[in-house]
Amino acid sequence: MPSKQELIDYIHAKQRETRILSSNHLEEIDNERLKYITLKKHCNNFLDAESEYYDRFIMMSGLRGVGKTTILYQLYNHLTKQKNIPEDNIFYLDVHDLKSVYDVGIKEVFDLYLEDIHQTIPAGLNKKIFFFVDESQLDENWANYARLLFNETFNIFMIFTGSSALGLEVNVDASRRIEKEQLLPCSFQEYLLLKHNVNLTKNNFRDLILKLNPTTVDEAKDCENIIKKDLIQLDNDPELEFKKYLHSQSFPYALNISEISTHRRTNDMVERIVQEDLKHFASFKKDTNASILRLISYLATKKPGTTSSSSLAQSLNLNVRTVDSILEALEKSQLIFSISAYGPAGKILNKPKHHFFLSPSIKSALNYRVGRYDLNHEKCYSVLVENMVASTLNRLSYESPHSLGLFYDSNKKGVDFIIKNLDETIPIEVGIGKKTKSQLTRAKSKYGADYGILVSNRTSKIEFKRNILYIPVLTFALM
């Protein structure tokens, strides 16, 4: 156990270090992720509010590499340089760094920070303080302490970041107080903003999914024409930029390094998730890690479609229960997500799930590692586009204010996806290299759908003909 003076010295060192690390970390970063803008508003509201009615306890979870630490540094920079907040009033704590030096918790360090720098306890704080905690899941008591701070004072604004395990550690009482912000890999529109400073985030393409009618179709067509003009400023053909995004550019760290370096870093990230993160979701023996990595590689290289747990178990020489535990842990880590078969409850439970990676560039990197196929081949492109469509629909289900269910069609020659939006059932087909609508026609009839959606690279613009909405791949990617 470190002495009180050792911890005070640690706190002072970290305070000095944060300014330097923030400056170095942001040196080559010119633009901000959309989630940063949301969190900056929360910070500003905390500073401007004259009452306690604002969001001041925020949990930001997300996969490794999506940019959580960068956002914390950007907020630090915003507060110190634009809001003139004294550096002593911001405490950034990296729990991974703390645990590598001292076996103490967040509570011991932050209580001592308040005592030494501000000569107070939480209940006596009479100024506004910012507390940013990175890798919070490494302290199993973080949520209980955060709840205590929240109850004891209105003058502390807290952001706790970490893996998706954060959500598992929040009790019901704390959950009522938390504003949850999930950080996902970059969408294509975020990639264009971060990489090329092309801002297309105010498009209305989501309305084609969330509330389709003649007006939203016409508005989306007008928006598409404007965006085509905006994309002229890109150095490359927009289609080439989209392929770069699919292959390797959905993580912020990929923007300024080569594609090969990105694939290697992404594979390293996957290994760290297996070695360090999955233990928060399930208990696996150490020798199971190799099997987990083989299962991930199998999911990355297999053809699109479902795979039963029994087939996976047989291929990997594992029992079915272990395979189910691995898949569940990988979903909780957010490396993958799954969609169920469309239909009554019995079908949902009995049919195997269809698994996708949270981002197509994860799938791309894993295929690069095993040298399975050429990433420029149309077959590979088709698989990555299907993953992109699934990821986009998955993102919409997170962010939509309306209920949006995502399923797959388990029928022979069924469509790729079915979404349930309010009272609508909407079949969706992804057609690469062919402009087919036969699956959509059958699905519309079978499920009583008013219309279907075809996402295709053979469609040059948004069209609505004979109850089929045609959306170009590039336009869909901007949702």
Side-chain angles (χ1 to χ4, degrees):
M1 185 72 179
S3 68
K4 181 177 180 179
Q5 187 57 51
E6 285 177 319
L7 285 179
I8 289 174
D9 291 342
Y10 177 82
I11 290 168
H12 289 179
K14 293 298 126 178
Q15 287 293 92
R16 293 191 299 270
E17 188 180 81
T18 301
R19 182 194 326 119
I20 300 169
L21 290 176
S22 172
S23 178
N24 291 343
H25 194 91
L26 302 178
E27 189 173 359
E28 296 184 358
I29 298 176
D30 298 320
N31 293 303
E32 299 95 10
R33 292 208 59 183
L34 301 180
K35 191 64 71 178
Y36 162 75
I37 296 171
T38 299
L39 293 173
K40 183 171 70 171
K41 288 179 181 177
H42 286 309
C43 289
N44 293 343
N45 289 341
F46 170 73
L47 288 171
D48 298 338
E50 295 180 357
S51 72
E52 68 273 21
Y53 298 106
Y54 42 75
D55 295 312
R56 53 188 173 84
F57 180 3
I58 295 173
M59 180 181 76
M60 179 170 58
S61 64
L63 196 66
R64 288 177 180 271
V66 292
K68 301 184 294 293
T69 301
T70 298
I71 287 177
L72 292 184
Y73 282 141
Q74 287 174 322
L75 291 172
Y76 176 90
N77 190 59
H78 166 71
L79 291 168
T80 55
K81 295 185 178 179
Q82 296 179 29
K83 291 296 183 178
N84 298 316
I85 302 299
E87 292 177 357
D88 280 352
N89 290 2
I90 308 171
F91 187 35
Y92 168 79
L93 178 63
D94 182 341
V95 182
H96 184 273
D97 177 81
L98 174 66
K99 293 291 185 180
S100 68
V101 180
Y102 298 120
D103 186 21
V104 296
I106 295 170
K107 181 183 187 304
E108 290 86 347
V109 177
F110 190 68
D111 283 351
L112 194 53
Y113 158 80
L114 291 178
E115 176 189 330
D116 181 73
I117 293 182
H118 298 288
Q119 294 79 52
T120 189
I121 59 176
L125 194 61
N126 61 4
K127 64 180 78 171
K128 292 190 174 183
I129 299 294
F130 292 85
F131 186 26
F132 299 153
V133 187
D134 218 353
E135 300 286 357
S136 308
Q137 79 279 356
L138 298 178
D139 183 342
E140 61 184 18
N141 295 314
W142 77 268
N144 288 332
Y145 180 58
R147 178 177 56 84
L148 289 174
L149 287 177
F150 182 91
N151 291 334
E152 288 181 355
T153 178
F154 297 134
N155 286 322
I156 298 178
F157 180 95
M158 303 174 286
I159 299 179
F160 292 83
T161 83
S163 74
S164 301
L166 282 182
L168 300 179
E169 297 159 5
V170 177
N171 59 39
V172 174
D173 188 40
S175 183
R176 291 198 300 268
R177 295 159 169 77
I178 294 176
E179 177 72 14
K180 297 178 182 177
E181 298 285 356
Q182 187 171 31
L183 191 60
L184 297 169
C186 295
S187 63
F188 183 50
Q189 63 173 224
E190 270 199 302
Y191 161 74
L192 291 174
L193 177 63
L194 296 173
K195 181 74 173 180
H196 299 289
N197 200 28
V198 176
N199 191 342
L200 307 178
T201 58
K202 292 184 178 180
N203 71 68
N204 53 10
F205 297 145
R206 288 187 176 192
D207 288 345
L208 296 172
I209 299 290
L210 300 177
K211 48 182 178 181
L212 180 71
N213 57 54
T215 300
T216 57
V217 172
D218 289 340
E219 290 175 348
K221 286 181 177 179
D222 292 340
C223 183
E224 187 179 48
N225 289 332
I226 293 170
I227 283 176
K228 284 180 179 178
K229 295 177 182 177
D230 291 337
L231 291 176
I232 292 175
Q233 61 187 289
L234 294 175
D235 293 334
N236 282 331
D237 182 295
E239 292 288 346
L240 291 177
E241 286 296 329
F242 175 63
K243 286 187 176 182
K244 284 173 60 178
Y245 164 75
L246 277 184
H247 287 181
S248 61
Q249 300 285 306
S250 59
F251 288 91
Y253 60 72
L255 298 176
N256 296 310
I257 59 178
S258 69
E259 185 174 288
I260 293 176
S261 296
T262 299
H263 290 327
R264 288 172 178 166
R265 185 162 173 177
T266 302
N267 278 297
D268 289 343
M269 176 197 73
V270 171
E271 289 195 12
R272 289 189 65 189
I273 289 171
V274 172
Q275 294 166 2
E276 300 177 26
D277 294 349
L278 294 191
K279 63 186 177 185
H280 295 290
F281 310 111
S283 297
F284 297 116
K285 297 177 181 177
K286 265 197 171 181
D287 56 5
T288 307
N289 284 354
S291 297
I292 295 173
L293 289 170
R294 293 207 320 276
L295 186 150
I296 292 170
S297 293
Y298 179 83
L299 293 177
T301 56
K302 79 179 187 70
K303 294 180 180 179
T306 59
T307 303
S308 67
S309 297
S310 57
S311 297
L312 280 171
Q314 186 174 5
S315 299
L316 299 170
N317 197 26
L318 297 170
N319 64 59
V320 174
R321 184 176 297 179
T322 300
V323 168
D324 286 338
S325 295
I326 292 171
L327 290 172
E328 183 179 355
L330 290 174
E331 281 199 61
K332 288 178 178 178
S333 77
Q334 291 188 1
L335 183 67
I336 64 172
F337 64 94
S338 67
I339 61 176
S340 299
Y342 182 76
K347 178 176 281 191
I348 292 174
L349 290 174
N350 294 325
K351 289 285 186 179
K353 292 182 177 181
H354 193 164
H355 294 91
F356 293 92
F357 289 90
L358 193 62
S359 155
S361 59
I362 300 174
K363 187 179 184 75
S364 177
L366 290 163
N367 276 282
Y368 168 83
R369 181 175 187 173
V370 299
R372 182 62 182 260
Y373 50 70
D374 181 3
L375 293 174
N376 292 310
H377 193 279
E378 183 175 90
K379 183 178 179 181
C380 175
Y381 177 69
S382 174
V383 170
L384 294 180
V385 168
E386 185 173 337
N387 200 130
M388 179 277 295
V389 172
S391 298
T392 301
L393 294 173
N394 185 54
R395 181 190 296 271
L396 286 178
S397 70
Y398 278 126
E399 299 175 352
S400 171
H402 310 293
S403 175
L404 186 68
L406 175 59
F407 306 91
Y408 74 89
D409 188 351
S410 63
N411 292 289
K412 188 175 181 181
K413 294 185 179 180
V415 291
D416 294 315
F417 305 103
I418 296 174
I419 56 174
K420 190 73 175 175
N421 178 28
L422 299 177
D423 297 324
E424 296 272 11
T425 300
I426 309 168
I428 299 177
E429 179 69 13
V430 182
I432 301 300
K434 54 184 178 179
K435 192 174 179 180
T436 179
K437 58 183 181 181
S438 57
Q439 289 100 323
L440 284 173
T441 302
R442 284 193 296 268
K444 283 198 298 142
S445 175
K446 180 174 180 59
Y447 299 116
D450 293 332
Y451 62 93
I453 296 175
L454 177 62
V455 183
S456 174
N457 66 335
R458 295 297 177 91
T459 300
S460 61
K461 61 182 179 180
I462 295 170
E463 293 183 279
F464 189 61
K465 298 186 299 186
R466 297 174 184 170
N467 294 327
I468 293 180
L469 177 65
Y470 298 85
I471 305 179
V473 169
L474 196 64
T475 299
F476 191 93
L478 291 171
M479 286 187 182

